[in-house]
Amino acid sequence: MIDYRARFRSNLAIAACGLAAFAVVPFVANSGLMFLAGLVAINIVFGMSWNLLFSGAGLLSFGHAMFFGGGAYAMALVSLHWPGLPFLLGLAIGAGAGALIALVFGVIALRRASGVYFAVLTLVFSELIHLVITKTTFLGRNDGLVGIPRPTIETGLFTLDLTSATAYYYFIVVAMACAAFALWCFQNSPAGRLIQAIRQDNLRTAFLGTSIFGWQLTAFVLSGALAAFCGAVMVPFTQIASPEIAYWTVSTQPILFTLLGGAGNFWGPAVGAILFGAIDYGTRAMHGLSEITVGTLLLLVVLLIPGGLLGFLQHRRQKKRRKPTEPAPKRTEAQP
Amino acid sequence: MAYKMNRRGVVAGLAATGLTAPFLNTRMAAAQSGPITLGVVTPLSGPVQLIGNFVRHGAEIGADYINSNGGVNGREIQLQFRDSKANPNDASVAARELIGAGTNLQLGTISSAVALAMGPLLQSEGGVVITSGAGTEKLNHENYNPHVFRVGDSPVSRNAGLVRHIVQSRPDIRKWGGIIPDHEYGRTTWKIFEATMRKAVPEMTGEEAVIAEPILVPYGSGDYRNYIQQAMRLDVDGIYTSVYGGDAVTLYQQAKPFGLFDKIDILLDSANEFLVATAMGDQTPAHWSGFHWYYEANKGNPLSDDLYASYVERTGDQYPMGWAAEAHAAIMAYAKAIEKTGGSTETADVIDALKGLSFDSATGMRHLRAEDNQAVKNAELAYIEPSSEAESGFEVTDYVSLDGENVVEPARPGEMLDLSAL
Amino acid sequence: MASTEPLLRVSELHAFYGGSHVIQDASLSVAPGESVALLGRNGAGKSTLMKSLLDAGPRVEGEIHFGGQDLRGVSPDERSRRGLMLVPEDRRIYPDISVAENIELGAQAARGRDPVTLTEIYDLFPLLVPLKERAGYQMSGGQQQLVAVARGLMGAPRLLLLDEPVEGLAPVVVDEMAQHIARIRETRSLALLIAEQNLSFARRCTDRVLLIDSGRIVFDGSWTDFDADPDLKERYLAV
Amino acid sequence: MYDIGMTVFNGLAWAMATFLVAAGLTLIFGILHILNFAHGGFFMIGAYVSYSIMLGFGGGLPLWLYLVRAMAAGVVVGLLGWVVDKLVFRRLRDVEDAYSLIATYALLLICGGAVTLIWGLNYMGVMPPPALNSVIFLGDMFMPTYTIFIIFCGVAAFVGLELFISKTRTGRLIRVVAADPWMAQLLGLNVKRIYLVTVIVSFAMAGAAGGLLMPNQSLSPELGGIFLLQAFGVVILGGMGSIRGAFVAAIVLGLIESFGTYFFPQYPGIFFLLALGVILLLRPEGIMGKEQTA
């Protein structure tokens, strides 16, 4: 029996340590690193949104940039054209945009495609959305939408001024923590467990009378909404929405984070995103080497430690434990 | 058991953030003595690294020149390079990090999206950037920001210069078409080309210019035959193109066997400089190209001669591109401005000094307009022809440098470019 | 029959699928030319044991000696080329090529040994002659089984592993299969290991019995010994 | 009439250039079930290798030498394929699709970095050999001989690959392994070696395609990405690694792209993606695929 309460407590402890680390960044680092940390925080949840789909529902998306970009552009449009609208409503609209894209696309694609075909379909659609952005005047074409203001939130009781980069950084950390917590709760709810069951065994779940399509679509829409939320939160931080954030290479980012950190673990994308931020930072003054460095690192991870960093650590720990006492052979029903 | 392993992950994360300790804000330490540090945020990797390399060489040569001539009030110039990956987010991280470390004076931006993103960022963080050639007209118009300067051509001066010179030298050619990238930059250049042409031809010849609908070509495509076929159908004497880089080489390569270049009298290339010619050698179609800086046109100018000689010595490459001169000019502008402030590198002082600054550069004197931070500089263009004698397979047979005052648009910061005013 | 060195000698074999320990400490041997039945219920581990011998699926620990050589580190395809041939339960006939092509594929493994000629095969399985040009997917289950056995024989095996060769076949076809196997044993000198649930078929084709239950070998002896203990049948084979 | 003829001609040129790149990709996808992101990277390396060989000869080659050079590039890249199979692909056989996609994406990054380090960043262009640098007039249609040559090469590659797969012994074994590798090993087939042969053939085709298409393209480290999405589209639309499917898909997409550009010139470069999306939604298993494998 898994002790859920203990697991909850340990995850809470991890989250608290992570939050504390992010909270001290503005005190110990300069504004460039704080900015990077803000992006990393967003990337963590972006990676988790992808992993919800991958490790959760067993779907491989190669088009998460369309959600991220969709949310970012929705937020940018809202803040440029309806500056009177409450900021949090803007974020909701951003997330809703991602959910909508996921719903429309998912209804068509999930019925028909799976595996690599699904991946390539997502890639194609995301590239279409990118092209549409670069050809649409009110989306700023290739130059993007610039000068996006940072908000002040009026709660009635008090006013939260987020116009400075540092204040907005803290908002990001809080928003991403909330999003990660919500995701954790979902994954540990009965619905979340059911979606995971789909991945583990398509057939058996079908026999249980579950509509696989329905649950896959649910996972897809949730994942899209979460990715779009990340995009929407990022835009006031960087103050620009440019077509690069909807380009297909952005779709590879959450995949890289997740696989680097370990897809089998809730915190995998977080470890991956932090590590990737560090690599990005470490190669910032190199000439022409960042491509080959990232490529080699990634290849080594996939080939040597396919479980990602966390999987690797877990494996080593298990090995160490197992050596002294080989577990007694269990009586199991044989498999055909 | 799972949580212990996770705790390790967090420790690793903490260690990663712990790395930040050496990068504490050192802004206060920046004083009015010791070396002057300038930040160069430019693509050092990825597809645009080619241009970033020119920026790097130009900046380094410029800094060496200043330093070997006594520095700025005796202070040496040092450069800090950062990879922008031609991406606004990476560029923002780099710009902020540099400012946090006290390097508030920056240069090297080449992509339009990055240049546009820099304005609000530098305004809130307190920094200055001189772009080395971002092509968007919004920079000194609707998205004007006092913290962003452009020492290079505005898209207007470059293209209006090209057009005016062509109309002057070949008044017989009145029928024009265009092949332009389906990209913001392509559309802008075409708008300027068309507006200037419609104005200059009647002025010069008394007759109307006949301009066909432009042919839009996709970005980064491997096959341009359908567009070449469209171009073959045009009844024109001249073709203007702002297709850039590898796309331009592919387009020219595929167009050649169709005989497109034999069919027209003149090919006008807005910005490829020697990029197409060095790739195609003796197969290069004869064409006029706009230049940020063409060294032959500036022979005798010690800055230009030093830049050219140093570049060739460093790289062995005989054909530097104008991006190098723009980064070089940015260094010259900073040096002159800091002299003017009396040594202060504070953002507000440097902005004040840069506004209205006149300084010498590889293309001669440039003047930074106080109103919109746009440089007034010479527009340069050269005629490149294939040659059986030249080792490189091509040679420049004609070139011209036009006075910037005559080709630049009036300063209208905060307002959209008004094509009727060209 | 009893030679000093058995053809196949397996000792302390364990096999795993993921975390589950499917075969536990199995030891057995098959002498040259001998035919052995491997009996057990559905899911007792018969197929897993056979696949383990070829290292084709489960993770395996333990020793397997074949023809006097240790098979540790020997790839599955090399094992078949050394004469250890498996005809799997689901037959795996290639559907898009003809029957003749399917059968000829088996010859890949015969390299370096006394090969089986096609004439010999069609003599043994005259039923297949009219089917030669048919595509793999156009055959009945019984026909497929014949093709699978014929294809296995083409590899000139020294030990042929048949995994439930008559499962799901009509009684008449089962009878034919038993005759075929008898004829094969007459004409070729090869050993057989047949996993079965059909007792009468197994009895007709084999000399000795191995009984497996929940991944452990629980009985190893002659049919006479097997029959002497009716409890065995009751405990390990009754449904 | 003229326009339609030229549009078809250009569409076929697009299709065959894309098929030349996609053929090797299809082979690996059909047999190893790996969608190889790095294929574009090795195509690019083929073009660069071929360029270096050309420099060795001092430019301006006769036709036969141009062909030999493309084949030599094929051999070099085929050998790289051998290395890549030993180091990478061999380890990807039992992992999930996501991991092999990412591993090959990483390889693509490495290819780009390696090309930058070896050949530098400058753009380079090569003209077709003199024998292929002319135009044939057919009525009022003008068809560059080099473009005709590319179309011919595409068809030849298709016929050659089909013959190899269906008529040769190795080809037949490759098909058997593709259909059921597990049974193939039980029949004594050296599955590893057959995979290796497949990878080498696929890489050699990428390299040779690079050598053949080099006069069509500018050489730069971006070249790896230029055909990638197109080739992916063709392979996926063809269905489950079917060579015939990929060939048909290339022609269909090429014609749609070509006619789309003809009728709607203001939206360049979007029709191929649009068509790919729509057709895949209607027929997700592709043109030739019987059923999809997850």
Side-chain angles (χ1 to χ4, degrees), chain A residues 8-264:
Chain A
F8 178 73
R9 273 201 305 271
S10 59
N11 275 300
L12 206 63
I14 294 164
C17 292
L19 273 178
F22 273 104
V24 298
V25 166
F27 294 103
V28 298
N30 75 37
S31 88
L33 273 165
M34 183 194 76
F35 192 74
L36 182 64
L39 294 178
V40 166
I42 291 170
N43 280 338
I44 287 174
V45 178
F46 186 32
M48 285 175 172
S49 80
W50 183 85
N51 199 26
L52 164 69
L53 206 54
F54 178 67
S55 293
L59 290 169
L60 171 58
S61 156
F62 234 89
H64 253 49
M66 67 180 156
F67 307 128
F68 193 74
Y73 269 89
M75 182 73 207
L77 284 176
V78 167
S79 37
L80 288 175
H81 296 290
W82 297 285
L85 228 54
F87 171 65
L88 294 178
L89 187 60
L91 288 183
I93 291 175
L100 191 69
I101 298 173
L103 185 67
V104 172
F105 176 70
V107 163
I108 312 172
L110 278 174
R111 274 188 200 284
R112 301 182 152 270
S114 57
V116 175
Y117 288 83
F118 182 77
V120 173
L121 260 186
T122 53
L123 175 64
V124 166
F125 272 82
S126 138
E127 195 48 21
L128 262 177
I129 286 186
H130 171 250
L131 267 177
V132 167
I133 291 173
T134 63
K135 288 175 198 289
T136 308
T137 307
F138 80 96
L139 295 178
R141 295 178 173 277
N142 305 86
D143 286 348
L145 299 170
V146 290
I148 292 148
R150 291 200 194 110
T152 47
I153 300 177
E154 301 277 353
T155 57
L157 287 171
F158 57 93
T159 306
L160 214 55
D161 183 1
L162 300 179
T163 44
S164 83
T166 312
Y168 197 82
Y169 169 81
Y170 280 110
F171 172 76
I172 290 178
V173 173
V174 171
M176 290 303 136
C178 294
F181 181 68
L183 184 68
W184 193 86
C185 290
F186 172 75
Q187 286 192 338
N188 287 281
S189 72
R193 296 224 180 86
L194 195 61
I195 287 178
Q196 268 161 330
I198 294 177
R199 169 191 170 73
Q200 278 152 13
D201 191 343
N202 256 327
L203 270 178
R204 200 177 298 163
T205 325
F207 282 132
L208 290 175
T210 314
S211 156
I212 292 179
F213 170 74
W215 283 109
Q216 283 188 331
L217 187 65
T218 307
F220 197 57
V221 169
L222 279 175
S223 172
L226 195 56
F229 177 73
C230 294
V233 169
M234 188 188 76
V235 154
F237 194 43
T238 59
Q239 303 194 283
I240 178 170
S242 67
E244 283 96 76
I245 57 175
Y247 193 51
W248 70 270
T249 48
V250 171
S251 299
T252 62
Q253 298 288 309
I255 311 179
L256 304 189
F257 303 149
T258 306
L259 297 192
L260 196 59

Side-chain angles (χ1 to χ4, degrees), chain B residues 141-198:
Chain B
H141 288 280
E142 59 263 46
N143 290 108
Y144 163 76
N145 186 296
H147 291 253
V148 181
F149 290 80
R150 174 158 55 199
V151 287
D153 302 301
S154 82
V156 175
S157 56
R158 158 70 62 87
N159 289 286
L162 270 171
V163 170
R164 289 193 175 274
H165 176 70
I166 297 301
V167 174
Q168 222 155 27
S169 57
R170 293 293 301 274
D172 54 314
I173 294 178
R174 290 185 299 109
K175 290 198 260 183
W176 284 89
I179 302 176
I180 61 171
D182 183 24
H183 191 269
E184 196 58 24
Y185 163 78
R187 289 164 193 275
T188 307
T189 53
W190 175 256
K191 274 189 289 188
I192 297 164
F193 169 85
E194 190 182 8
T196 322
M197 198 49 102
R198 290 210 187 278

Side-chain angles (χ1 to χ4, degrees), chain B residues 284-362:
Chain B
T284 310
H287 65 282
W288 280 98
S289 175
F291 277 74
H292 283 291
W293 162 66
Y294 175 46
Y295 46 88
E296 285 292 332
N298 293 285
K299 232 180 185 152
N301 172 347
L303 279 174
S304 174
D305 292 346
D306 175 68
L307 175 57
Y308 183 71
S310 308
Y311 178 84
V312 174
E313 189 191 336
R314 279 161 162 261
T315 63
D317 174 15
Q318 302 284 322
Y319 298 99
M321 301 258 301
W323 306 99
E326 303 301 34
H328 186 261
I331 301 280
M332 298 300 144
Y334 274 130
K336 190 78 185 285
I338 295 166
E339 265 173 35
K340 204 165 130 188
T341 62
S344 164
T345 54
E346 287 303 314
T347 299
D349 297 341
V350 174
I351 290 177
D352 277 348
L354 283 172
K355 280 185 172 289
L357 183 78
S358 292
F359 63 99
D360 203 3
S361 75

Side-chain angles (χ1 to χ4, degrees), chain B residues 222 225 229 246 253 257 275 283, chain D residues 10 123 126-127 135 216-218:
Chain B
R225 290 188 184 81
Q229 187 200 336
Q253 264 181 306
L275 223 139
Q283 297 293 323
Chain D
N10 290 335
Y123 297 101
V126 176
M127 276 294 148
V135 179
N216 198 45
Q217 244 63 49
S218 60

